[in-house]
Amino acid sequence: MDQKSENVNELVKYLEKEAKQHQSACRIKNVLAQLLFLITITFSALGLINTGTDWFNLKEMSAIAAMPGIILIFSNTFKFEERSKWNKLKQRKLEGLLFKLKFENAMVEEISKEMREELEKLDEMRVQLEKPTTK
């Protein structure tokens, strides 16, 4: 096997592995975001139900009423939905490069250069996700 086909195979393996990892991360973060949303709705519904039924005493109701706000702070701090979108975007970019390499017979050098440029842009976006939310 010559050096060029070895480079192509290495790059294909790398792109496939990275795309899979970002797909998995995207799914996990999306599930977390949706789960937090569902929990928030559940606590809000419990508060609404309690107004008519008095199932919970005052201390329990105070804790239940505080939970949606606590979850909102947690969700805004960790930005699961935004991070999920970032992982999906990176996955799609990597898959695009992989398809160019596999099916459009792009040169390894061309894909490598394009990958560096795309990853730099994505890293800049990620830095924005790391910054705390200010309002």
Side-chain angles (χ1 to χ4, degrees), residues 14-29 83-92 94 119 122 126:
Y14 173 79
L15 290 171
E16 287 174 340
K17 181 183 79 125
E18 286 290 308
K20 267 189 174 181
Q21 286 177 342
H22 284 284
Q23 181 181 36
S24 177
C26 172
R27 287 180 179 164
I28 289 169
K29 291 169 187 169
R83 290 172 189 261
S84 173
K85 289 177 183 175
W86 181 87
N87 281 111
K88 187 63 171 178
L89 179 62
K90 188 166 182 181
Q91 173 202 344
R92 297 298 295 155
L94 291 168
L119 293 180
L122 287 168
R126 180 157 186 142

Side-chain angles (χ1 to χ4, degrees), residues 36 39-41 43-44 62-77:
L36 287 173
I39 292 169
T40 302
I41 290 173
F43 278 112
S44 295
S62 297
I64 289 170
M67 289 308 291
I70 292 168
I71 292 170
L72 181 63
I73 290 169
F74 183 78
S75 182
N76 284 343
T77 301

Side-chain angles (χ1 to χ4, degrees), residues 123-135:
D123 284 344
E124 288 174 14
M125 290 174 60
R126 180 157 186 142
V127 168
Q128 294 300 318
L129 286 175
E130 303 297 326
K131 291 182 181 177
T133 307
T134 55
K135 288 189 178 181

Side-chain angles (χ1 to χ4, degrees), residues 4 7 12 14 16 31 36 39 45 47 50-51 58 61 63-64 81 93 95 100 112-113 116 118 122 124:
K4 183 177 178 175
N7 288 346
V12 166
Y14 173 79
E16 287 174 340
V31 166
L36 287 173
I39 292 169
N50 192 59
T51 58
L58 187 58
M61 196 55 224
I64 289 170
E81 191 170 348
K93 297 272 187 186
E95 286 174 345
K100 274 186 178 180
S112 178
K113 181 182 178 202
R116 276 194 318 275
E118 289 297 331
L122 287 168
E124 288 174 14

Side-chain angles (χ1 to χ4, degrees), residues 1-10 13:
M1 193 182 324
D2 65 338
Q3 182 66 32
K4 183 177 178 175
S5 60
E6 231 177 87
N7 288 346
V8 170
N9 288 337
E10 283 182 35
K13 285 179 188 175

